[in-house]
Amino acid sequence: MVRRQLAAMRAAVAELVPDARRPQAEQIAEAFVGLCMSYNQQLAIRSDLDPAPFTAALMATING
């Protein structure tokens, strides 16, 4: 079940990748999902986590 959910997340992110970065869409989606999972773990432990740098890093991953 978790594998299917992760695959669905990667597929959804890959669809958001701009056309100019389409050849790298799978790699970008893999990195994006990995960053999201790490952020979730940190969020569960830390209450002071600022989402702004995380959001900026995710957008840079997608937009290049």
Side-chain angles (χ1 to χ4, degrees):
M1 184 166 114
V2 173
R3 286 183 189 197
R4 284 193 307 267
Q5 289 174 336
L6 290 172
M9 286 174 59
R10 287 191 303 271
V13 171
E15 290 296 317
L16 299 174
V17 173
D19 289 339
R21 306 228 32 229
R22 184 66 48 197
Q24 297 88 25
E26 287 184 29
Q27 293 88 357
I28 291 168
E30 188 73 41
F32 189 96
V33 170
L35 286 169
C36 287
M37 300 304 285
S38 176
Y39 180 77
N40 283 339
Q41 289 174 344
Q42 290 184 52
L43 194 57
I45 296 168
R46 296 176 51 191
S47 61
D48 65 337
L49 201 56
D50 180 6
F54 174 75
T55 303
L58 288 175
M59 293 311 296
T61 299
I62 289 178
N63 293 322

